[in-house]
Amino acid sequence: AYSYSAFPVHISRLTYGQKRLFSRIAEEEEKKKRLVFLGSPGVAAKVLEALVVASRESEMFKIVACVSQPPAAKGRKKIVQKSETHIVAEELEIKSILTPASARDDDFLNTLRHLKPDLCITAAYGQFLPQKFLEIPEYGTW
């Protein structure tokens, strides 16, 4: 299990603009908005943690998937390891964790369409996002 007390991040730590966006989106429809997070290194993992905490404290959005770089050989011994964001997503029990070799992959794009995200948030994902990807979320990709 994952301890949230180690990362005391609240929705109040989001910027004014982020709060306004999420509030406006939530007002348009009474349901939680579907968010997909894209990131790979440790800094992105911290953003994911903050978003998960905020989603659990708020009725504005829920994280439906996390997209990260596929496992890669790291270190001197070239041991294949998952990205830090992938590991954190597993600890946070995010149900759908995607690791496409390319953001242009048709299977990945179809899976993303099936998830029907309202918004995608990126933080150091590490791949170019094609126009086909950017057209999927209703409120865009940040």
Side-chain angles (χ1 to χ4, degrees), residues 11 14 18-19 22-26 31-34 54-55 58-62:
I11 196 160
L14 294 174
Q18 290 168 329
K19 286 181 192 176
F22 286 127
S23 294
R24 188 187 68 200
I25 291 171
K31 64 176 186 163
K32 285 187 175 186
K33 294 300 177 182
R34 300 171 61 81
S55 74
S58 165
E59 294 296 318
M60 293 187 288
F61 66 96
K62 62 182 175 182

Side-chain angles (χ1 to χ4, degrees), residues 28-44:
E28 289 179 11
E29 293 183 39
E30 300 273 326
K31 64 176 186 163
K32 285 187 175 186
K33 294 300 177 182
R34 300 171 61 81
L35 187 141
V36 171
F37 179 79
L38 296 91
S40 295
V43 67

Side-chain angles (χ1 to χ4, degrees), residues 71-131:
K74 296 180 184 174
R76 180 177 267 176
K77 295 183 181 183
K78 300 296 181 191
I79 298 171
V80 176
Q81 298 176 353
K82 297 174 184 174
S83 72
E84 293 175 61
T85 300
H86 186 145
I87 293 166
V88 169
E90 288 177 338
E91 291 172 355
L92 294 171
E93 299 176 352
I94 293 176
K95 293 177 184 157
S96 182
I97 302 171
L98 308 172
T99 57
S102 170
R104 294 180 176 169
D105 181 59
D106 286 331
D107 290 337
F108 166 65
L109 293 172
N110 288 333
T111 301
L112 191 64
R113 283 184 195 97
H114 178 71
L115 289 169
K116 299 178 184 173
D118 293 304
L119 179 68
C120 290
I121 302 285
T122 62
Y125 174 54
Q127 287 191 33
F128 175 78
L129 299 175
Q131 189 63 36

